[in-house]
Amino acid sequence: MTAFEQAVRTLKRNGYKTTGKRQRILEILYNKKKYMSAKEVQDHLKEMFPGISPDTIYRNLHTFVELSVVEETELNGEKLFRSSCDVHGHHHHFICTECGQTRELELCPMDMFQGQLPGCEVTSHRFELFGKCADCCLAV
């Protein structure tokens, strides 16, 4: 079963209908495999669903994040979304600020901080690297 098929199954298991709009949003994110803004997703939906509202897109994207079938980050004050990774388990990302492509990083820097937080319990963290990917660096 593909990651896309698993995402659709997760929607159904959680009581959500797999409407054409929802399926198309997931297809876009799972085919692109990069972080995209809601506006970029809307641009891809224009032909098939010309009247789709930004609210509908945001509502679905946030539902997908809650169900862990889509990942969310923030760059320059804008929320960006991408399909969940093929890498299972704890990992982080390098995100190209030019094209949005991502690479999974398996190394976690949290071990370096344990000694600096005596008596504390870290319950969550987020670590992302931003820059230009090799292809975007060559394009300059």
Side-chain angles (χ1 to χ4, degrees):
M1 179 178 305
T2 67
F4 170 76
E5 291 168 335
Q6 288 175 352
V8 171
R9 179 180 269 178
T10 298
L11 281 176
K12 289 178 183 177
R13 237 188 356 254
N14 286 277
Y16 291 94
K17 293 179 183 176
T18 52
T19 64
K21 291 174 186 173
R22 285 185 178 140
Q23 224 168 334
R24 186 66 187 126
I25 292 169
L26 286 172
E27 284 172 359
I28 291 165
L29 294 172
Y30 277 82
N31 287 333
K32 294 291 181 181
K33 294 192 181 275
K34 68 176 195 169
Y35 278 102
M36 299 175 70
S37 68
K39 174 74 170 109
E40 289 173 298
V41 172
Q42 184 178 19
D43 289 344
H44 282 83
L45 291 169
K46 275 184 191 174
E47 273 187 48
M48 193 176 284
F49 304 103
I52 192 168
S53 75
D55 286 344
T56 298
I57 294 168
Y58 273 109
R59 190 172 46 256
N60 281 293
L61 289 171
H62 288 291
T63 297
F64 297 160
V65 169
E66 287 176 14
L67 296 174
S68 298
V69 297
V70 168
E71 296 176 0
E72 174 186 54
T73 193
E74 190 172 319
L75 179 62
N76 299 327
E78 182 176 28
K79 298 251 186 230
L80 302 174
F81 305 87
R82 70 161 291 197
S83 62
S84 290
C85 294
D86 295 331
V87 175
H88 297 289
H90 186 76
H91 66 282
H92 300 282
H93 294 111
F94 167 82
I95 304 166
C96 180
T97 56
E98 294 290 315
C99 70
Q101 295 297 325
T102 61
R103 291 181 61 184
E104 288 81 19
L105 306 169
E106 293 180 26
L107 179 66
C108 178
M110 282 304 296
D111 294 339
M112 297 183 318
F113 299 110
Q114 296 300 348
Q116 298 179 44
L117 301 168
C120 297
E121 179 185 345
V122 176
T123 58
S124 179
H125 71 279
R126 191 169 96 185
F127 180 77
E128 297 167 322
L129 296 173
F130 297 93
K132 288 185 184 180
C133 68
D135 290 340
C136 289
C137 283
L138 290 174
V140 174

